[in-house]
Amino acid sequence: PLSRRRFLQRTAAAAAAAGAQFIGMPSLLGADSPNGKLGVAVIGAGGMGGYSFDSALGERLVAVCDVDDKTMAERLGQFRERVKDQPAPRAFYDYRKMLEECEKDIDVVLIATPDHNHAPAAIRSIHLGKATFSQKPLAHDIYECYALAKAAREKQVATQMGNQGHCSDTI
């Protein structure tokens, strides 16, 4: 049997692809579900991660992870300015700790770290059963690609790679 929560977890990344903006960033489910908004974690909030952060503001931003103090301060400031009806997200410098401590509150993980860390972060997220959206390049080598595909198949979670507009229905 498929619960509403499991349905949302499985379709979050698919919805991100189907509703992607022309710039190719995830557009999370915008309408309120009977279970409320999705719990979103953002790994890497600078650069392309800024788009992930903005997308997460439309849902329930649970946690943000970035190693740069300045980026973290800017994003948390933006959250306080733009979101008034939610508690501030928890801030982390280590995504492993974030996933461990916030696992129960997270439905979707958006990843925009430096290139060498996309696959390790995505694999951890997938192994926890979380819908996962990762920026390109998805992996460092073909082995990581196979490991990601295997994990997604085994855990049966929705996954998506951002590709600047090429993941929309029109393409």
Side-chain angles (χ1 to χ4, degrees), residues 20-75:
Q21 306 297 322
F22 288 108
I23 56 173
M25 293 309 302
S27 176
L28 297 174
L29 299 175
D32 289 339
S33 77
N35 291 332
K37 295 184 176 189
L38 294 172
V40 181
V42 174
I43 301 175
M48 291 299 286
Y51 294 111
S52 295
F53 183 85
D54 288 343
S55 295
L57 293 181
E59 293 296 324
R60 183 175 48 86
L61 183 56
V62 172
V64 180
C65 179
D66 200 284
V67 296
D68 186 293
D69 289 332
K70 182 179 177 187
T71 299
M72 184 68 79
E74 288 173 4
R75 295 294 180 237

Side-chain angles (χ1 to χ4, degrees), residues 28 31 43 46 55 64 84 90 99 101 119-120 131 140 151-152 158-159 166:
L28 297 174
I43 301 175
S55 295
V64 180
K84 304 296 182 195
R90 293 182 61 188
L99 291 172
E101 291 185 18
H140 179 264
T159 60
H166 289 84

Side-chain angles (χ1 to χ4, degrees), residues 90-127:
R90 293 182 61 188
F92 292 88
Y93 295 102
D94 184 334
Y95 68 83
R96 298 167 299 181
K97 185 174 181 180
M98 178 190 75
L99 291 172
E100 180 183 311
E101 291 185 18
C102 299
E103 177 184 356
K104 292 178 182 162
D105 297 322
I106 298 171
D107 299 307
V108 180
V109 180
L110 307 178
I111 303 167
T113 62
D115 299 349
H116 64 278
N117 221 13
H118 289 166
I123 287 173
R124 282 185 185 268
S125 171
I126 291 167
H127 278 296

Side-chain angles (χ1 to χ4, degrees), residues 1-11:
L2 189 64
S3 68
R4 282 185 193 175
R5 185 168 189 85
R6 189 70 179 146
F7 172 78
L8 288 174
Q9 289 174 333
R10 286 185 175 182
T11 59

